[in-house]
Amino acid sequence: MTPARSLRAMRREQRILLAAFFMLFPGFFFYHTLLGTGTTGAFLGGYFAPVSLLFAAPLGLIYLNRMRRDARRFHAVDLHLGLFLLYFVAVIAVNAAAGANRTIVGNHMLGILFIFNLFVIASFLDFDSRRFRIVGLLSLLGMSTIAVSFSVDGVFYLGATGIAKDVDALATYQGFARSYLITFLTVIAFTRSLPLRLVLHALGAATLFLNTARSEFATLMFVIPIIEFYYSRHKLHFLLCGLILFFVIHLYFDRILAALPANRILELLDLSQSTSANKRYHLTVHAVQTILAHPLLGDYASYKPGYYSHNVLSAWVDLGFFGMAYLCLVTFVPIVPMFIREYFAPRHCGIFLLGFSMACATVLLLLTSHYFTDMLIGATLGASSRYFYERKYAKNRTPDLGPSAPRHSDIRQAML
């Protein structure tokens, strides 16, 4: 392929990747806003699955074309994610043939698709481009504006308005929060301006607070200091400011709580009073009982649809011990060398921060509240694979610390 044709192909791929990302995440948020306000009916059902299917083939072709143009892009992360997904498909096929619940089988196949799509997008989309950053910032502003405009008594949930034409198809608060959090992480990782980052942090915290999705709100508050510590030039000053902020909040904590609108986010302060947390606890107990009864192979689809353990133990139930262990290794191992090599480096690398912040978010969510098919796994591993490639071969490669090449072949040329 000639350089001109290769450049045109890469531009075309970037347009597809950009469309896929914004249709899947901000697009999901805006579609369900139209649905929840009664502006339109559910002409795309729940939206995410049909849009993911629409982009599956183009994203798969982009992945194959990139591998063909540069085989060095195929990293161990790609290999192990592929092996895990193949194992997952084999488990699904065997159990589907044995009569497993079709709804759970379908959900798992969609989960594999979501993970793959996010992996490809995170691997190849140019998040640092001017176009992505502008559209990303406008999307965050639009989603935050919607959350504030349609919140009632400090809660943003369009289902409560009662004007949706197809209530059954309307997304839950988790769906809205997922779209916002993933868009936020991709934008903030490449935002070098401190004032703009602070504005985005405040906007994100306010939006997810109104959204009432506790897991996503806690995840946002968890990754903000990780991001700011990475970008800070003076780490000790940052820690000092953090300690001061902590003591100020502790001192005025009651006044701050009194000023906040009451919603389920405040249940994070006492989860024993949360019906949702208690339900998740009982689901985890049921998962542990299943694991004790079937410690090696698990017991695939041994629960009603939706009644799974909301943590990484769900992988042990459905995929057995090997499946869960492999998932943990695939997800957690790549972030260790990334952290050691890059987190305290003097330079700032956006794709590293994207991969690392998503990895931190993924680990937290898998340990506390999310199912093992969480699509953030795909985004985390895609960004990680891209980081390792760029660090070794492309624009983020480490500098050559060897001796400089001689500029002249002999001393007489140097003196002339």
Side-chain angles (χ1 to χ4, degrees), residues 286-311:
H286 183 266
V288 171
Q289 293 172 345
T290 302
I291 290 167
L292 292 175
H294 309 274
L296 291 179
L297 299 179
D299 192 9
Y300 183 88
S302 57
Y303 48 87
K304 295 179 181 178
Y307 286 83
Y308 48 79
S309 176
H310 290 252
N311 50 49

mmCIF file of all heavy atoms in Angstrom, residues 286-311:
data_model
loop_
_atom_site.group_PDB
_atom_site.id
_atom_site.type_symbol
_atom_site.label_atom_id
_atom_site.label_comp_id
_atom_site.label_asym_id
_atom_site.label_seq_id
_atom_site.Cartn_x
_atom_site.Cartn_y
_atom_site.Cartn_z
ATOM 1 N N HIS A 286 -24.696 -16.039 47.978
ATOM 2 C CA HIS A 286 -25.163 -17.133 47.118
ATOM 3 C C HIS A 286 -24.053 -17.581 46.170
ATOM 4 O O HIS A 286 -23.881 -18.789 45.915
ATOM 5 C CB HIS A 286 -26.386 -16.680 46.315
ATOM 6 C CG HIS A 286 -26.967 -17.761 45.456
ATOM 7 N ND1 HIS A 286 -26.602 -17.910 44.123
ATOM 8 C CD2 HIS A 286 -27.859 -18.751 45.720
ATOM 9 C CE1 HIS A 286 -27.243 -18.939 43.613
ATOM 10 N NE2 HIS A 286 -28.029 -19.468 44.549
ATOM 11 N N ALA A 287 -23.276 -16.626 45.654
ATOM 12 C CA ALA A 287 -22.162 -16.977 44.763
ATOM 13 C C ALA A 287 -21.108 -17.787 45.501
ATOM 14 O O ALA A 287 -20.565 -18.760 44.958
ATOM 15 C CB ALA A 287 -21.546 -15.703 44.185
ATOM 16 N N VAL A 288 -20.807 -17.404 46.737
ATOM 17 C CA VAL A 288 -19.826 -18.154 47.535
ATOM 18 C C VAL A 288 -20.307 -19.575 47.772
ATOM 19 O O VAL A 288 -19.525 -20.537 47.694
ATOM 20 C CB VAL A 288 -19.558 -17.421 48.861
ATOM 21 C CG1 VAL A 288 -18.713 -18.290 49.797
ATOM 22 C CG2 VAL A 288 -18.855 -16.095 48.606
ATOM 23 N N GLN A 289 -21.592 -19.734 48.054
ATOM 24 C CA GLN A 289 -22.144 -21.077 48.248
ATOM 25 C C GLN A 289 -22.026 -21.908 46.972
ATOM 26 O O GLN A 289 -21.698 -23.102 47.015
ATOM 27 C CB GLN A 289 -23.607 -20.965 48.679
ATOM 28 C CG GLN A 289 -23.789 -20.358 50.066
ATOM 29 C CD GLN A 289 -25.246 -20.084 50.388
ATOM 30 O OE1 GLN A 289 -26.107 -20.078 49.499
ATOM 31 N NE2 GLN A 289 -25.535 -19.834 51.658
ATOM 32 N N THR A 290 -22.273 -21.286 45.824
ATOM 33 C CA THR A 290 -22.135 -21.980 44.549
ATOM 34 C C THR A 290 -20.682 -22.391 44.315
ATOM 35 O O THR A 290 -20.391 -23.507 43.871
ATOM 36 C CB THR A 290 -22.615 -21.081 43.399
ATOM 37 O OG1 THR A 290 -23.971 -20.698 43.620
ATOM 38 C CG2 THR A 290 -22.501 -21.800 42.058
ATOM 39 N N ILE A 291 -19.760 -21.499 44.633
ATOM 40 C CA ILE A 291 -18.334 -21.780 44.445
ATOM 41 C C ILE A 291 -17.880 -22.919 45.353
ATOM 42 O O ILE A 291 -17.116 -23.804 44.935
ATOM 43 C CB ILE A 291 -17.515 -20.497 44.706
ATOM 44 C CG1 ILE A 291 -17.766 -19.486 43.578
ATOM 45 C CG2 ILE A 291 -16.028 -20.811 44.842
ATOM 46 C CD1 ILE A 291 -17.264 -18.103 43.883
ATOM 47 N N LEU A 292 -18.344 -22.915 46.592
ATOM 48 C CA LEU A 292 -17.974 -23.994 47.512
ATOM 49 C C LEU A 292 -18.511 -25.341 47.038
ATOM 50 O O LEU A 292 -17.861 -26.384 47.233
ATOM 51 C CB LEU A 292 -18.498 -23.679 48.912
ATOM 52 C CG LEU A 292 -17.831 -22.491 49.632
ATOM 53 C CD1 LEU A 292 -18.529 -22.210 50.955
ATOM 54 C CD2 LEU A 292 -16.344 -22.769 49.851
ATOM 55 N N ALA A 293 -19.669 -25.322 46.402
ATOM 56 C CA ALA A 293 -20.243 -26.569 45.895
ATOM 57 C C ALA A 293 -19.584 -27.012 44.586
ATOM 58 O O ALA A 293 -19.521 -28.203 44.289
ATOM 59 C CB ALA A 293 -21.744 -26.398 45.690
ATOM 60 N N HIS A 294 -19.071 -26.041 43.814
ATOM 61 C CA HIS A 294 -18.441 -26.346 42.519
ATOM 62 C C HIS A 294 -17.155 -25.533 42.393
ATOM 63 O O HIS A 294 -17.092 -24.583 41.598
ATOM 64 C CB HIS A 294 -19.396 -26.015 41.367
ATOM 65 C CG HIS A 294 -20.766 -26.601 41.507
ATOM 66 N ND1 HIS A 294 -21.072 -27.877 41.091
ATOM 67 C CD2 HIS A 294 -21.907 -26.088 42.046
ATOM 68 C CE1 HIS A 294 -22.350 -28.125 41.329
ATOM 69 N NE2 HIS A 294 -22.883 -27.056 41.920
ATOM 70 N N PRO A 295 -16.127 -25.865 43.153
ATOM 71 C CA PRO A 295 -14.940 -25.003 43.239
ATOM 72 C C PRO A 295 -14.097 -24.941 41.962
ATOM 73 O O PRO A 295 -13.439 -23.924 41.735
ATOM 74 C CB PRO A 295 -14.131 -25.621 44.382
ATOM 75 C CG PRO A 295 -14.589 -27.048 44.444
ATOM 76 C CD PRO A 295 -16.013 -27.042 44.039
ATOM 77 N N LEU A 296 -14.091 -25.957 41.147
ATOM 78 C CA LEU A 296 -13.220 -25.964 39.971
ATOM 79 C C LEU A 296 -13.917 -25.450 38.719
ATOM 80 O O LEU A 296 -13.420 -24.552 38.038
ATOM 81 C CB LEU A 296 -12.673 -27.370 39.727
ATOM 82 C CG LEU A 296 -11.672 -27.883 40.768
ATOM 83 C CD1 LEU A 296 -11.231 -29.291 40.404
ATOM 84 C CD2 LEU A 296 -10.467 -26.948 40.864
ATOM 85 N N LEU A 297 -15.072 -26.013 38.403
ATOM 86 C CA LEU A 297 -15.756 -25.673 37.157
ATOM 87 C C LEU A 297 -16.844 -24.625 37.322
ATOM 88 O O LEU A 297 -17.368 -24.118 36.323
ATOM 89 C CB LEU A 297 -16.356 -26.935 36.529
ATOM 90 C CG LEU A 297 -15.350 -28.032 36.154
ATOM 91 C CD1 LEU A 297 -16.078 -29.226 35.572
ATOM 92 C CD2 LEU A 297 -14.314 -27.494 35.170
ATOM 93 N N GLY A 298 -17.183 -24.290 38.570
ATOM 94 C CA GLY A 298 -18.287 -23.370 38.765
ATOM 95 C C GLY A 298 -19.611 -24.014 38.394
ATOM 96 O O GLY A 298 -19.692 -25.235 38.196
ATOM 97 N N ASP A 299 -20.635 -23.197 38.267
ATOM 98 C CA ASP A 299 -21.965 -23.709 37.909
ATOM 99 C C ASP A 299 -22.615 -22.679 37.000
ATOM 100 O O ASP A 299 -23.330 -21.783 37.448
ATOM 101 C CB ASP A 299 -22.801 -23.952 39.158
ATOM 102 C CG ASP A 299 -24.068 -24.742 38.864
ATOM 103 O OD1 ASP A 299 -24.201 -25.239 37.729
ATOM 104 O OD2 ASP A 299 -24.910 -24.860 39.758
ATOM 105 N N TYR A 300 -22.346 -22.804 35.714
ATOM 106 C CA TYR A 300 -22.741 -21.798 34.725
ATOM 107 C C TYR A 300 -24.244 -21.529 34.757
ATOM 108 O O TYR A 300 -25.055 -22.457 34.763
ATOM 109 C CB TYR A 300 -22.331 -22.259 33.328
ATOM 110 C CG TYR A 300 -22.617 -21.258 32.233
ATOM 111 C CD1 TYR A 300 -21.692 -20.273 31.908
ATOM 112 C CD2 TYR A 300 -23.815 -21.293 31.520
ATOM 113 C CE1 TYR A 300 -21.944 -19.358 30.907
ATOM 114 C CE2 TYR A 300 -24.085 -20.375 30.512
ATOM 115 C CZ TYR A 300 -23.143 -19.413 30.214
ATOM 116 O OH TYR A 300 -23.410 -18.489 29.222
ATOM 117 N N ALA A 301 -24.598 -20.235 34.793
ATOM 118 C CA ALA A 301 -26.001 -19.787 34.730
ATOM 119 C C ALA A 301 -26.862 -20.422 35.805
ATOM 120 O O ALA A 301 -28.027 -20.744 35.568
ATOM 121 C CB ALA A 301 -26.580 -20.061 33.346
ATOM 122 N N SER A 302 -26.298 -20.571 37.001
ATOM 123 C CA SER A 302 -27.041 -21.189 38.103
ATOM 124 C C SER A 302 -27.839 -20.150 38.895
ATOM 125 O O SER A 302 -28.097 -20.328 40.079
ATOM 126 C CB SER A 302 -26.063 -21.915 39.035
ATOM 127 O OG SER A 302 -25.074 -21.022 39.515
ATOM 128 N N TYR A 303 -28.232 -19.100 38.272
ATOM 129 C CA TYR A 303 -28.970 -18.005 38.912
ATOM 130 C C TYR A 303 -29.958 -17.453 37.893
ATOM 131 O O TYR A 303 -29.835 -17.688 36.682
ATOM 132 C CB TYR A 303 -28.005 -16.898 39.354
ATOM 133 C CG TYR A 303 -27.023 -16.506 38.271
ATOM 134 C CD1 TYR A 303 -27.353 -15.541 37.320
ATOM 135 C CD2 TYR A 303 -25.783 -17.120 38.162
ATOM 136 C CE1 TYR A 303 -26.483 -15.193 36.306
ATOM 137 C CE2 TYR A 303 -24.896 -16.783 37.140
ATOM 138 C CZ TYR A 303 -25.252 -15.813 36.217
ATOM 139 O OH TYR A 303 -24.379 -15.491 35.211
ATOM 140 N N LYS A 304 -30.935 -16.726 38.378
ATOM 141 C CA LYS A 304 -31.889 -16.095 37.477
ATOM 142 C C LYS A 304 -31.206 -14.932 36.747
ATOM 143 O O LYS A 304 -30.277 -14.324 37.290
ATOM 144 C CB LYS A 304 -33.095 -15.573 38.275
ATOM 145 C CG LYS A 304 -33.917 -16.660 38.941
ATOM 146 C CD LYS A 304 -35.074 -16.039 39.712
ATOM 147 C CE LYS A 304 -35.902 -17.117 40.413
ATOM 148 N NZ LYS A 304 -37.021 -16.525 41.210
ATOM 149 N N PRO A 305 -31.641 -14.615 35.541
ATOM 150 C CA PRO A 305 -31.048 -13.485 34.819
ATOM 151 C C PRO A 305 -31.080 -12.207 35.652
ATOM 152 O O PRO A 305 -32.126 -11.808 36.175
ATOM 153 C CB PRO A 305 -31.937 -13.360 33.574
ATOM 154 C CG PRO A 305 -32.432 -14.738 33.342
ATOM 155 C CD PRO A 305 -32.638 -15.332 34.718
ATOM 156 N N GLY A 306 -29.940 -11.588 35.801
ATOM 157 C CA GLY A 306 -29.826 -10.362 36.581
ATOM 158 C C GLY A 306 -29.440 -10.584 38.032
ATOM 159 O O GLY A 306 -28.970 -9.654 38.694
ATOM 160 N N TYR A 307 -29.592 -11.824 38.523
ATOM 161 C CA TYR A 307 -29.309 -12.099 39.939
ATOM 162 C C TYR A 307 -27.922 -12.730 40.098
ATOM 163 O O TYR A 307 -27.760 -13.771 40.702
ATOM 164 C CB TYR A 307 -30.387 -13.005 40.519
ATOM 165 C CG TYR A 307 -31.700 -12.292 40.750
ATOM 166 C CD1 TYR A 307 -32.605 -12.115 39.704
ATOM 167 C CD2 TYR A 307 -32.020 -11.772 41.997
ATOM 168 C CE1 TYR A 307 -33.803 -11.446 39.891
ATOM 169 C CE2 TYR A 307 -33.220 -11.105 42.196
ATOM 170 C CZ TYR A 307 -34.099 -10.942 41.150
ATOM 171 O OH TYR A 307 -35.284 -10.281 41.349
ATOM 172 N N TYR A 308 -26.924 -12.056 39.549
ATOM 173 C CA TYR A 308 -25.543 -12.519 39.630
ATOM 174 C C TYR A 308 -24.808 -11.774 40.744
ATOM 175 O O TYR A 308 -25.261 -10.723 41.215
ATOM 176 C CB TYR A 308 -24.831 -12.269 38.297
ATOM 177 C CG TYR A 308 -25.029 -10.870 37.757
ATOM 178 C CD1 TYR A 308 -24.296 -9.789 38.246
ATOM 179 C CD2 TYR A 308 -25.968 -10.616 36.751
ATOM 180 C CE1 TYR A 308 -24.490 -8.511 37.762
ATOM 181 C CE2 TYR A 308 -26.171 -9.340 36.264
ATOM 182 C CZ TYR A 308 -25.425 -8.291 36.773
ATOM 183 O OH TYR A 308 -25.623 -7.019 36.298
ATOM 184 N N SER A 309 -23.679 -12.317 41.132
ATOM 185 C CA SER A 309 -22.843 -11.638 42.122
ATOM 186 C C SER A 309 -22.216 -10.398 41.485
ATOM 187 O O SER A 309 -21.617 -10.474 40.420
ATOM 188 C CB SER A 309 -21.740 -12.584 42.602
ATOM 189 O OG SER A 309 -20.869 -11.920 43.494
ATOM 190 N N HIS A 310 -22.363 -9.268 42.142
ATOM 191 C CA HIS A 310 -21.876 -8.005 41.583
ATOM 192 C C HIS A 310 -20.409 -7.773 41.947
ATOM 193 O O HIS A 310 -20.048 -6.754 42.541
ATOM 194 C CB HIS A 310 -22.746 -6.846 42.082
ATOM 195 C CG HIS A 310 -24.122 -6.853 41.498
ATOM 196 N ND1 HIS A 310 -24.544 -5.939 40.557
ATOM 197 C CD2 HIS A 310 -25.176 -7.685 41.694
ATOM 198 C CE1 HIS A 310 -25.793 -6.189 40.209
ATOM 199 N NE2 HIS A 310 -26.198 -7.249 40.896
ATOM 200 N N ASN A 311 -19.566 -8.699 41.568
ATOM 201 C CA ASN A 311 -18.121 -8.573 41.761
ATOM 202 C C ASN A 311 -17.437 -9.667 40.955
ATOM 203 O O ASN A 311 -18.089 -10.408 40.223
ATOM 204 C CB ASN A 311 -17.739 -8.649 43.253
ATOM 205 C CG ASN A 311 -18.344 -9.836 43.948
ATOM 206 O OD1 ASN A 311 -18.256 -10.961 43.457
ATOM 207 N ND2 ASN A 311 -18.992 -9.610 45.079
#
